[in-house]
Amino acid sequence: SLQDQFDNLEKHTQWGIDVLEKYIKFVKERTEIELSYAKQLRNLSKKYQPKKNSKEEEEYRYTSTRAFLATLNEMNDYAGQHEVISENMTSLITSELTRYVQELKQERKSHFHDGRKAQQHIETCWKQLEASKRRFERDCKEADRAQQYFEKMDADINVTKADVEKARQQAQLRHQMAEDSKAEYSSTLQKFNSEQHEHYYTHIPNIFQKIQEMEERRIVRIGESMKTFAEVDRQVIPIIGKCLDEITKAAESVDHKNDSQMVIEAFKSGFEPPGDIEFEDFTQPMKRTVSESSLSNSRGDGKSEPKFGGKSKGKLWPFIKKNKLMSLLTSPHQPPPPPPASASPSAVPNGPQSPKQQKEPLSHRFNEFMTSKPKIHCFRSLKRGGAGPEDFSNLPPEQRRKKLQQKVDELNRDIQKELDQRDALTKMKDVYIKNPQMGDAASVDHRLSELAQNIEKLRLEVQKFEGWLAEVEGRLPARNEQQRRQSGMYEPQNPSAVNSCAQDRESPDGSYTEEQSQETEMKVPATDFDDEFDDEEPLPTIGTCKALYTFEGQNEGTISVAEGEMLYVIEEDKGDGWTRIRRNEDEEGYVPTSYVEVYLDKNAK
C-alpha cells in the first residue's frame, strides 16, 4: 500500500542521514588525529633542538649536526602541513556537512509532513463518500418500504380514503429523499474520484519526487565531500615534498672531510710524539737511578746526552700525570715475591692470586699511559684556587693559541663598544655645547673619562694577550723568568728547583719540554720537588686492604707493611702482580698483590 511505501522511504532517508553523520564523525576524528600528530611532531622537533647557551650549540658547527638541525626545522614545517589538513577538513567538510545535515533533516520532515497531510485528505474524502453512499442506500430502502405500504393500504377496502392518501404522500416523500441522496452520492463520488486521481497522479508523485531529489543531493554531497577529503591531502603534498627535498638537500650537504678537519682543528695539541725508548742493558753491572729511566732524560758525567731522537729538549709527554709519572719512575722492576711458605695464597679466604703471566712493568705502564685520557698540567702556572691561569698555559699549544685568539677578539669587541659609546657621548656633548638649553655639556665629562680609562685598560689587556699569542705562534721569544715573576704566574723557590723541574718547561711554540740537565741536578730535596707539584691532587682511594703478611719493601717504589695492618688502595693490580697502596699523605708505594686482601669500594670511580 501507499502507507507502506511511505514507511519504507522514511526508514531509508533516515538511514541516509545516519550515514552522513557517520562520515562527519569519521572526518572529525581524522582531523583530531592530524592535530595530535602535528603536535607530537612539533614536540619531537622541540625536544631535540639545541638548548641555548649550552654545549650542544657548539656541536652544531659540524655539517652532520647542522643537517640534523635542518631536519628538525623541516619536521616542524611538516607538522604545520598536517595542521593545515586538519583545518581544511574541518572548514570544508565537517562544518559544511554538519550544516547540511540540519537542513536535510528539516527538508525531510517537511516532505513527509506533506505526504501524511495528502494521505489524511484522501482518507477524509473516502469517508465522506462512504457516508453519502450509506445515506443513499438507506433512503432507497425507506422509499421502497413506503411504496409497499401505500400499495397495501390502497388495496385494502377497509382502510379509509384519508389513510390511503396519507400513505401515498409518505411514499412520495421517501422517493424524493432517495432522489436527493442519489444526487448527493453521485456528486460526492465524482469529487472523490477527482481527488483520488489528483492524489495518486499529482500530489504523491510530487512528494516522492522531492524525496528522491533530496536523497540524490545527499548522495552527491557525500561524494563531493569524499573528493574534498582527498584534495585537501593532495594540496599539501607539494609542500611536504619540499620539506622532504630540504631534508635530502641537508643530508647531501654532510661533508665528512670537513667535519674531520674541524675535529682535528678543535683538538690538536701541537705536541710532538715521544721519541724511541732507549735500550736498557741489564748485563752491565751498574746502579740504575731515577734519572736513567727510559721516560726521563739521561744524564751522566756532567754532559747532557740528547734524548728522544737527538733533540736538545725532549717533550714531556702530555698523557702522563705527575702521580703516574712518579709512580712509573719508582715502581718495582722485578716480579713480586711469593708469599711466605707457611701459608699459600689459596689458603687465604678471598685472597687475590698472583698473575699467571708476568708482564714487564715498564711496558705495562707505558700502554696504560698511552691509552689514558690526556690531561695536561702545567705545574708552573697552576694557581692555588684550582682555576686555570690567565695565559691559558695549562692548555696544549694549539688549544692555547685558539683561546688566546678568542680572548683577543673578545677584548677588541669590547673596545669597539666602548669606542661607540665614546663617540655617541662626544656627539651629545657637541650638541649640548651648541644648544645649552638641551643639557649640560659638563655632565658627560665624567662618563667620557671613565670610558677613556676603560679603553686604555682594555688596550693594555689586548697587548698582554697579543704578546702571549705571539709567543705561542713563535713571533716572539719565550718569556724569561723575570717576566714570569712580574706576571704573577710563578715564582721559583730556589735555582735548583727551577732548573730541575720548572725552568723552560714551556717552549716558544707553547709545548711542554723538560730541560736536559746533569744527574746531580735531579737530586733535589723532596720539599722543593713537592712544592713544584703542590697543586696536583693525589690519586683517590678506591678501597682498603689488609696486610696478610709482613713485607719489607726494600726495593725502590715499594712500601713496607706489617701483618694485619689496614691501608688504602689507590691503584689495582694491572696484571704485573703489584698493588699500589697508601698509608698516609706522605707514604705510598707498591706491595705484592698476594700479600694483601683487597676490599674495593663499589662506588669508587
Side-chain angles (χ1 to χ4, degrees):
S1 66
L2 186 61
Q3 184 62 39
D4 293 338
Q5 297 302 325
F6 264 100
D7 291 341
N8 292 335
L9 287 177
E10 194 168 10
K11 291 179 182 178
H12 179 76
T13 52
Q14 182 60 45
W15 172 82
I17 291 176
D18 292 341
V19 169
L20 197 57
E21 289 179 336
K22 183 187 294 185
Y23 184 72
I24 293 172
K25 186 178 180 182
F26 160 74
V27 176
K28 186 176 181 181
E29 291 183 3
R30 164 73 190 278
T31 59
E32 292 173 354
I33 291 174
E34 292 291 343
L35 281 178
S36 176
Y37 182 50
K39 183 179 179 181
Q40 291 178 9
L41 283 180
R42 288 190 184 277
N43 290 339
L44 181 66
S45 177
K46 182 179 179 181
K47 177 182 178 181
Y48 287 94
Q49 287 283 349
K51 296 178 178 61
K52 293 183 178 179
N53 302 323
S54 67
K55 186 179 179 181
E56 291 183 7
E57 282 192 334
E58 299 179 2
E59 297 173 354
Y60 280 86
R61 65 179 185 270
Y62 300 105
T63 58
S64 57
T65 48
R66 283 205 303 269
F68 178 55
L69 183 60
T71 301
L72 294 178
N73 295 332
E74 293 301 328
M75 288 304 295
N76 205 41
D77 296 340
Y78 187 92
Q81 296 309 307
H82 284 277
E83 291 174 347
V84 171
I85 291 175
S86 176
E87 293 172 0
N88 291 341
M89 285 187 176
T90 301
S91 60
L92 299 178
I93 300 177
T94 308
S95 301
E96 292 294 328
L97 285 185
T98 302
R99 184 167 55 253
Y100 176 70
V101 164
Q102 297 301 322
E103 296 174 356
L104 188 64
K105 288 180 178 180
Q106 291 295 330
E107 184 180 359
R108 174 180 174 274
K109 182 179 179 181
S110 174
H111 292 330
F112 282 101
H113 176 72
D114 292 342
R116 284 191 294 269
K117 187 176 179 181
Q119 193 70 17
Q120 290 173 358
H121 177 69
I122 199 66
E123 289 176 357
T124 303
C125 292
W126 172 256
K127 290 178 182 179
Q128 291 175 356
L129 176 63
E130 286 293 321
S132 177
K133 179 181 177 182
R134 286 193 299 269
R135 188 165 50 252
F136 171 58
E137 183 182 6
R138 185 178 66 250
D139 289 345
C140 287
K141 289 179 180 180
E142 289 292 333
D144 288 341
R145 282 196 298 267
Q147 183 64 30
Q148 291 174 4
Y149 180 73
F150 165 68
E151 290 176 355
K152 182 180 179 182
M153 292 295 288
D154 188 37
D156 191 355
I157 59 173
N158 296 319
V159 177
T160 62
K161 202 173 184 179
D163 291 336
V164 173
E165 185 64 24
K166 184 178 180 182
R168 187 183 63 78
Q169 291 178 359
Q170 185 68 24
Q172 288 180 353
L173 179 63
R174 291 296 178 182
H175 276 291
Q176 184 63 41
M177 290 177 65
E179 289 295 331
D180 293 341
S181 296
K182 180 181 179 181
E184 182 184 357
Y185 172 65
S186 177
S187 174
T188 304
L189 182 59
Q190 289 179 2
K191 181 180 178 182
F192 175 77
N193 288 334
S194 176
E195 290 289 342
Q196 182 176 252
H197 186 276
E198 189 76 15
H199 176 77
Y200 284 104
Y201 288 93
T202 304
H203 292 311
I204 295 301
N206 286 341
I207 292 172
F208 282 177
Q209 182 66 30
K210 290 179 181 178
I211 293 175
Q212 180 180 349
E213 291 174 356
M214 177 192 72
E215 183 67 9
E216 289 175 353
R217 286 199 305 273
R218 178 193 66 82
I219 297 171
V220 170
R221 192 64 177 267
I222 196 171
E224 291 176 348
S225 299
M226 292 178 181
K227 184 178 179 182
T228 304
F229 183 85
E231 287 298 325
V232 167
D233 254 347
R234 186 175 287 111
Q235 286 174 0
V236 301
I237 288 178
I239 303 177
I240 291 178
K242 289 182 180 179
C243 294
L244 299 178
D245 290 342
E246 289 297 324
I247 293 175
T248 304
K249 183 178 178 182
E252 292 173 350
S253 68
V254 174
D255 186 354
H256 58 285
K257 294 292 185 183
N258 181 70
D259 285 3
S260 299
Q261 189 60 36
M262 291 179 69
V263 173
I264 293 171
E265 291 295 330
F267 296 110
K268 68 179 181 180
S269 64
F271 286 110
E272 295 182 8
D276 296 336
I277 298 177
E278 292 185 354
F279 175 76
E280 298 185 36
D281 191 356
F282 290 96
T283 59
Q284 299 295 329
M286 56 184 293
K287 183 178 180 181
R288 300 172 60 226
T289 63
V290 174
S291 61
E292 292 173 320
S293 172
S294 60
L295 292 180
S296 61
N297 296 327
S298 61
R299 301 171 179 85
D301 300 332
K303 293 183 180 181
S304 60
E305 223 176 277
K307 301 277 279 185
F308 299 127
K311 292 185 179 181
S312 61
K313 293 185 179 182
K315 304 287 182 183
L316 177 64
W317 292 4
F319 309 104
I320 305 177
K321 294 174 63 178
K322 171 253 178 181
N323 284 333
K324 289 192 174 183
L325 177 62
M326 297 311 297
S327 65
L328 176 66
L329 298 180
T330 58
S331 59
H333 287 271
Q334 67 268 10
S342 59
S344 62
S346 60
V348 181
N350 300 326
Q353 297 180 355
S354 299
K356 297 179 180 180
Q357 180 180 359
Q358 294 294 340
K359 291 182 65 178
E360 208 287 318
L362 178 61
S363 64
H364 176 74
R365 299 296 174 188
F366 174 78
N367 292 333
E368 177 191 349
F369 297 149
M370 294 307 292
T371 56
S372 62
K373 183 179 179 181
K375 183 176 179 182
I376 314 303
H377 290 276
C378 179
F379 308 115
R380 171 179 55 80
S381 59
L382 287 177
K383 294 184 178 180
R384 293 283 178 180
E390 187 182 11
D391 61 353
F392 304 108
S393 55
N394 60 323
L395 298 176
E398 185 63 25
Q399 303 298 322
R400 183 187 180 198
R401 183 191 66 78
K402 290 183 178 180
K403 287 289 185 181
L404 290 173
Q405 187 63 55
Q406 291 176 3
K407 188 68 176 178
V408 170
D409 295 340
E410 180 183 346
L411 290 172
N412 285 330
R413 286 194 296 270
D414 293 341
I415 290 175
Q416 188 59 45
K417 291 180 182 177
E418 298 290 327
L419 290 173
D420 294 341
Q421 291 186 26
R422 187 187 66 179
D423 295 342
L425 287 176
T426 302
K427 293 179 181 178
M428 184 184 296
K429 182 178 180 180
D430 294 340
V431 172
Y432 287 168
I433 292 175
K434 295 178 181 177
N435 301 288
Q437 67 275 10
M438 296 183 65
D440 184 10
S443 61
V444 297
D445 289 340
H446 179 68
R447 179 58 181 161
L448 283 173
S449 63
E450 287 183 354
L451 289 174
Q453 294 175 4
N454 292 342
I455 292 171
E456 185 61 28
K457 289 179 181 178
L458 290 172
R459 283 176 175 167
L460 291 175
E461 286 289 314
V462 170
Q463 291 178 4
K464 180 172 65 174
F465 281 96
E466 285 180 343
W468 287 333
L469 181 61
E471 177 184 333
V472 172
E473 294 176 346
R475 296 199 301 265
L476 294 176
R479 293 175 294 167
N480 54 31
E481 287 302 318
Q482 184 63 29
Q483 291 172 330
R484 290 175 182 172
R485 293 192 188 96
Q486 290 176 356
S487 65
M489 300 307 299
Y490 168 72
E491 185 172 349
Q493 300 297 327
N494 54 62
S496 62
V498 174
N499 292 332
S500 63
C501 183
Q503 186 179 14
D504 293 329
R505 189 67 62 86
E506 184 178 347
S507 65
D509 63 353
S511 59
Y512 298 88
T513 61
E514 185 173 355
E515 181 69 25
Q516 305 224 356
S517 57
Q518 296 182 358
E519 179 181 355
T520 55
E521 293 178 347
M522 260 320 267
K523 298 177 182 180
V524 183
T527 56
D528 293 339
F529 186 85
D530 290 340
D531 188 63
E532 296 298 324
F533 300 90
D534 201 8
D535 290 320
E536 180 69 9
E537 296 181 358
L539 289 174
T541 60
I542 60 174
T544 58
C545 68
K546 179 181 179 181
L548 302 176
Y549 316 102
T550 300
F551 178 66
E552 297 299 333
Q554 298 177 352
N555 294 329
E556 189 172 8
T558 60
I559 183 173
S560 61
V561 295
E563 181 179 354
E565 186 178 1
M566 296 297 295
L567 304 107
Y568 296 102
V569 178
I570 58 176
E571 188 177 315
E572 289 186 82
D573 186 350
K574 301 298 183 181
D576 55 1
W578 294 94
T579 298
R580 189 175 177 186
I581 64 172
R582 176 186 296 146
R583 178 176 286 112
N584 52 46
E585 294 183 357
D586 298 328
E587 293 185 71
E588 64 180 50
Y590 290 88
V591 296
T593 304
S594 57
Y595 274 62
V596 292
E597 184 175 1
V598 179
Y599 310 96
L600 292 180
D601 185 0
K602 295 181 179 180
N603 298 325
K605 295 183 180 179

